[in-house]
């Protein structure tokens, strides 16, 4: 009998996932199937006693409701979540993750900034306080990028307008305003920018001078601001903006790439357009890459709170301490309130379609997304766009919606992004390069101009660990300046989308 | 003694507004001042008995709390709103507005569309179902606009990408989704577009095929759709998108301007960056233009609900019938709920600064904004982005925030916009040209490249009615193809901002 393909996602797992249909009598990882296991479903590879945990991704996805023998199909008829969900067990599974000493860490070539942070790109950012200055920012960027004045500065990646739809018609205090302010500050001070000019209209709610005051921002060679009203209208502001950037260029161009440890990488983890393969190919492979990055002293940033909803107690167990775990639980409760007051609800339960595809519990479904974060200790939990200061595996609370989630991660300081996609996302980002990981070979082939790495070959036998190593190596190449597909395509001018919370007045 | 400048905003008014300080003994409109009236404040020009209405803009702004003699200063010490606010008196002041017979109406040169509507521009729109296709839409537009393929089509104004930050991460049902769907449909079928291509990613919540079904939209020479996932990625979608538009151009170019009555003008009324002059110069002058437009059979669309809050009972009195009045009251109540559930509140009361500037009651303050709508009967109330079908003066419920409010108005079918500004807005819009009206001569001079008309000369004696006629004539010129300042500057690619209601997931 032929050997059907299966995937064992972690050495700790007591189940494998069928890639091909497993027929009774067929052999998979040395275990003989006792019954038919269709694609995407699980087969036990060890005896699991009643009440014992079922493990996938090296983590608990449920408990056996009766004794399960090796070779048995594992699904709702013999597995359930129990009352696991009510038990956070803060920090119970926190580990002393292995971190390599500095001299053994992998390296990349990055831009060291005056504040000690390392950039992977060297853009000039043109920030906007409000939609009312969006066109002017675009015209300034076009003026800089098309005038030839950058020709003398090969070390500068270009001028990027960060335009958006908000900045006025919102309350001047409260969480909606705070989120926008953190986002703007995070971009203005991002290590991937060699300089930043912030342009406003003048009369908007988001006052540039107030932001400068609140963050003690000082204008100078790297950061300047202006408003259309004070400068005398559109034409004068464009002209003056181009002149201001022209004066910044020689300073920004002094930045040179130098060898830096992988611990200077802060990697944003994203998925968008997920499919049935996301949780068994690209996401676990990215998780393996994050485990490597953490071992080399770096930081991986898991986000997309709605997608880990229902599995938060797996992250609380991995939390370094109770306070980090409780911060996560606090954000989950915030989301329950946020959706309820907007006439919605949080619900990440497996749908009938999910169940038909082999997902048994909400834990298993959420772990498919959380697998991007690997297996190390959760070191910190951040709110949207807060500056990321801890090394290791951390969480930032964001929506799952790609441009909004990614904007929060970049504002937090992420200098590289890995983005898994099954349906085929075309997402690109500035100033942070986004590496796109296809979950299956079909989407990799059909959107080859957009995809950086094919993780579909995990289905054909490439190990999750080997794929993780490939991703880790590519992250360092991209951090050193190698272009992603979306950079070559020119993405990134329209994907800055700060999270809007609250009423638009 | 010198003659201080004052403004009488309507022949029905029993007060004038001081432009210069009026000293005791000075004469204004034939009335001798009994006391000092500072700039922006009101002086009685007729006796007002206790309990009688004080009229400004031809409308009630409050009631005399004691007898007021001609020449007296009118403010909080002798005027209050009473319990006026609790009394809607639906349709009590509805009038039979004078409408000119068709043969006497002014005309302009517009594009008659197959559905009978008239456009004032002839753009090709590239709509996006989601932020994930924003860059591709931009690249297609750049490909069309810069390739030279438009050179053979002087009747086509160019390709415009309508990009935005939403379309996924929102609930697939409910008011947030409805608002987005109406907005997209309104743009796709806008008379200022000669053709429209809608580009999606493929897996987003806002499904293009669902929209087509729900609106019975048929693809053809004027409307086509595509997704990046089905087309095979970014490069192929750009190439295919340019080809699709290339095929649309000969059809779109067949549109020729022909003489149309002013009744085909649907005028969006906006204000942004208001100042102390807005309510006495540009807004009433625009209101006079709207009265003229209504007389010629056309439509004026007042919006910005938060700015008329507290004065809704003035509009309900002008409503054509109780049902229209009650629809307005319903939207006001919706806003109270919307802001409350977002931890905010509706409050348009005059601030201490407003009062120091001469605004006595919330009616007077809100009337300063509502003055843009003129004095005719309120014929209909629309929700955001609903198609505007009634002629005459109508209201559309939108936020006050300029790009969001304007997007709703354009989606409703507005084919020209008038935008008053005191602080100096640089707003521009596509596909609807936006005429900017400065409220004072200083901002007109300092932002002359952005301002189309100076209404500051109303302070120097130009009558509100004459200014209204000037605006009305300019609206028709612009409707016929004359460029606005913001069109010449290139605004409009980034100001499409659909109202986002609800949680971002
Ligand atoms: Ca996702
Ligand atoms: Ca996402
Ligand atoms: Ca033309
Ligand atoms: Ca306004
Ligand atoms: Ca406005």
């Amino acid at each position: 009998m032929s050997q059907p393909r299966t995937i064992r996602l972690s050495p700790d797992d007591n189940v494998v996932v069928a890639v091909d249909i497993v027929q009774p009598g067929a052999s998979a990882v040395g275990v003989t199937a006792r019954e038919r296991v269709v694609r995407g479903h699980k087969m036990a590879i060890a005896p699991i006693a009643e009440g014992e945990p079922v493990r996938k991704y090296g983590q608990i996805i449920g408990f056996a409701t009766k004794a399960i023998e090796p070779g048995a199909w594992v699904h709702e008829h013999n597995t359930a979540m129990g009352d696991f969900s009510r038990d956070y067990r803060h920090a119970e599974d926190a580990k002393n993750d292995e971190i390599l000493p500095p001299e053994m860490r992998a390296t990349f070539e990055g831009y060291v900034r005056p504040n000690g942070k390392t950039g992977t790109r060297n853009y000039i950012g043109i920030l906007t306080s409000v939609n009312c200055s969006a066109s002017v920012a675009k015209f300034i960027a076009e003026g800089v990028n098309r005038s030839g004045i950058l020709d003398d500065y090969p070390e500068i990646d270009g001028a990027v307008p960060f335009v958006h739809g908000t900045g006025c018609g919102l309350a001047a205090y409260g969480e909606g305003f705070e989120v926008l302010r953190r986002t703007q500050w995070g971009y203005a001070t991002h290590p991937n920018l060699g300089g930043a000019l912030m342009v406003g209209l003048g009369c908007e709610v988001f006052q540039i001078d107030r932001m400068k005051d609140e963050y003690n921002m000082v204008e100078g060679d790297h950061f300047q601001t202006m408003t259309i009203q004070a400068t005398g209208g559109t034409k004068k502001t464009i002209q003056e903006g181009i002149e201001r950037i022209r004066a910044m260029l020689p300073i920004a161009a002094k930045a040179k790439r130098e060898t830096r440890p992988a611990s200077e990488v802060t990697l944003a983890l994203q998925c968008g357009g997920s499919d049935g393969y996301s949780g068994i190919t690209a996401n676990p492979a990215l998780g393996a890459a994050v485990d490597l990055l953490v071992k080399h002293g770096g930081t991986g940033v898991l986000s997309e709170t709605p997608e880990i909803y229902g599995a938060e107690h797996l992250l609380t167990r991995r939390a370094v301490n109770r306070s980090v775990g409780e911060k996560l639980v606090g954000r989950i409760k915030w989301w329950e309130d946020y959706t309820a007051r907007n006439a919605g609800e949080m619900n990440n339960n497996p749908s009938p379609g999910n169940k038909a595809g082999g997902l048994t519990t909400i834990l298993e479904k959420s772990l498919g997304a959380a697998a991007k974060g690997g297996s190390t200790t959760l070191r910190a939990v951040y709110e949207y766009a807060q500056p990321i200061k801890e090394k290791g595996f951390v969480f930032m609370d964001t929506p799952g919606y790609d441009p909004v989630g990614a904007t929060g991660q970049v504002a937090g300081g992420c200098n590289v992004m890995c983005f898994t996609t099954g349906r085929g996302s075309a997402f690109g980002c500035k100033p942070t390069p986004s590496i796109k990981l296809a979950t299956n070979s079909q989407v990799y082939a059909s959107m080859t101009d957009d995809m950086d790495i094919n993780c579909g070959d995990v289905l054909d036998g490439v190990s999750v660990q080997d794929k993780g190593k490939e991703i880790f190596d590519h992250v360092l190449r991209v951090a050193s300046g190698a272009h992603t597909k979306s950079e070559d395509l020119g993405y990134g001018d329209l994907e800055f989308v700060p999270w809007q919370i609250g009423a638009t007045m």
Side-chain angles (χ1 to χ4, degrees), chain A:
Chain A
M1 184 161 263
S2 75
Q3 279 266 51
R5 294 176 300 168
T6 58
I7 298 178
R8 185 176 190 173
L9 288 159
S10 162
D12 297 337
D13 290 355
N14 50 17
V15 296
V16 292
V17 178
V19 176
D20 301 318
I21 294 179
V22 179
Q23 299 291 0
S27 171
V29 292
V31 176
T32 302
R34 302 172 65 90
E35 51 198 325
R36 191 157 173 271
V37 181
V38 299
R39 270 186 278 241
H41 283 244
K42 298 171 289 296
M43 183 183 88
I45 55 172
I48 311 173
E50 187 181 334
E52 287 299 301
V54 177
R55 289 185 189 274
K56 184 182 167 187
Y57 305 104
Q59 307 211 38
I60 297 167
I61 61 160
F63 299 90
T65 53
K66 57 183 75 162
I68 300 174
E69 293 191 63
W73 174 41
V74 175
H75 204 27
E76 290 183 278
H77 60 287
N78 56 16
T79 301
M81 211 169 111
D83 61 355
F84 187 75
S85 66
R86 287 167 216 115
D87 191 356
Y88 293 122
R89 298 194 181 220
H90 292 291
E92 190 176 88
D93 296 342
K95 293 179 292 190
N96 273 322
D97 303 316
E98 181 194 359
I99 311 284
L100 295 173
E103 66 277 12
M104 290 182 65
R105 292 177 187 170
T107 60
F108 70 104
E109 303 296 308
Y111 298 99
V112 182
R113 300 301 181 188
N115 64 1
K117 288 188 187 162
T118 303
T120 67
R121 294 294 181 270
N122 197 34
Y123 283 102
I124 303 291
I126 305 169
L127 292 152
T128 53
S129 53
V130 65
N131 179 263
C132 310
S133 53
S135 282
V136 164
K138 183 183 82 157
F139 300 144
I140 293 172
E142 287 173 352
V144 172
N145 292 332
R146 294 182 191 158
S147 62
I149 62 177
L150 289 178
D151 293 351
D152 295 335
Y153 304 106
E155 283 290 349
I156 294 176
D157 290 304
V160 193
F162 293 109
V163 304
H164 58 86
T166 181
C168 202
L170 78 165
Y173 296 90
E175 65 189 357
F177 189 89
E178 295 295 321
V179 156
L180 180 60
R181 192 175 56 178
R182 286 201 300 268
T183 303
Q184 297 273 22
W185 181 81
Y187 272 69
T189 59
H190 198 281
N192 285 7
L193 297 186
L197 172 68
M198 187 171 223
V199 183
L201 175 60
C203 57
E204 60 272 24
V205 166
F206 192 92
Q207 284 289 303
I208 295 177
D209 282 347
R210 181 177 155 198
M211 178 178 104
K212 283 165 54 185
D213 283 351
E214 285 165 338
Y215 284 110
N216 292 312
M217 298 172 85
V218 178
E219 298 203 28
D221 294 338
H222 291 84
F223 176 67
Q224 298 201 15
T225 74
M226 59 197 299
T227 69
I228 296 170
Q229 286 169 354
T231 312
T234 298
K235 281 187 190 168
K236 286 180 189 161
T237 309
I238 297 169
Q239 195 174 359
E240 168 79 9
I242 293 171
E243 287 311 310
R244 298 260 203 122
I245 289 178
R246 191 197 295 272
M248 282 182 178
L249 293 176
I251 294 102
K254 283 186 187 150
K256 303 290 173 211
R257 288 191 184 271
E258 50 190 280
T259 303
R260 299 290 289 163
S263 53
E264 291 297 308
V265 170
T266 305
L267 184 66
L269 311 172
Q270 269 289 332
C271 58
S274 299
D275 69 355
Y277 299 109
S278 300
I280 55 174
T281 61
N283 287 358
L286 178 52
V290 170
D291 284 349
L292 273 174
L293 179 61
V294 169
K295 187 172 167 183
H296 285 265
T299 305
V301 185
L302 184 69
S303 298
E304 307 179 300
T305 314
E307 293 172 24
I308 62 104
Y309 186 73
E312 62 272 15
H313 30 296
L314 289 168
L315 289 167
T316 54
R317 281 158 203 240
R318 284 166 66 185
V320 66
N321 57 42
R322 168 173 290 271
S323 147
V324 166
E326 284 180 345
K327 188 156 183 198
L328 181 67
V329 174
R331 294 315 298 166
I332 294 286
K333 291 192 193 308
W334 181 91
W335 270 88
E336 288 171 340
D337 176 61
Y338 171 60
T339 49
R341 73 182 184 250
N342 284 288
E345 63 172 66
M346 293 295 279
N347 177 11
N348 198 29
N349 282 306
S351 64
N354 289 151
K355 287 185 179 173
L359 297 178
T360 304
T361 65
I362 193 170
L363 292 174
E364 184 178 9
K365 183 180 177 190
S366 292
L367 276 168
K372 297 190 294 291
S375 61
T376 63
T377 297
L378 176 68
R379 299 280 163 187
V381 170
Y382 296 98
E383 291 187 41
Y384 187 88
Q386 280 183 334
I388 295 160
K389 293 174 177 167
E390 287 293 323
K391 300 286 188 184
F393 170 60
V394 304
F395 187 85
M396 176 182 283
D397 174 32
T398 75
Y401 180 39
D402 305 333
V404 175
T407 294
Q409 293 173 316
V410 172
C414 291
N415 53 11
V416 184
M417 181 179 301
C418 279
F419 188 118
T420 70
T421 184
R423 305 285 297 279
S425 165
F427 184 80
C429 184
K430 288 176 183 166
T432 292
S434 170
I435 299 165
K436 288 215 293 303
L437 311 177
T439 72
N440 66 82
S441 300
Q442 288 70 34
V443 79
Y444 181 77
S446 77
M447 292 181 60
T448 183
D449 297 328
D450 295 274
M451 297 298 150
D452 295 278
I453 293 179
N454 179 22
C455 297
D457 52 10
V458 167
L459 300 177
D460 305 320
V462 174
S463 79
V464 164
Q465 277 62 40
D466 286 353
K467 204 74 209 176
K469 180 67 165 63
E470 180 188 337
I471 295 167
F472 175 70
D473 290 343
H474 195 64
V475 165
L476 295 180
R477 272 195 301 276
V478 167
S480 299
H483 275 198
T484 60
K485 293 287 181 78
S486 61
E487 287 179 286
D488 282 334
L489 289 167
Y491 275 91
D493 285 13
L494 297 173
E495 290 77 10
F496 174 67
V497 186
W499 191 7
Q500 281 181 244
I501 302 171
T504 300
M505 298 286 286

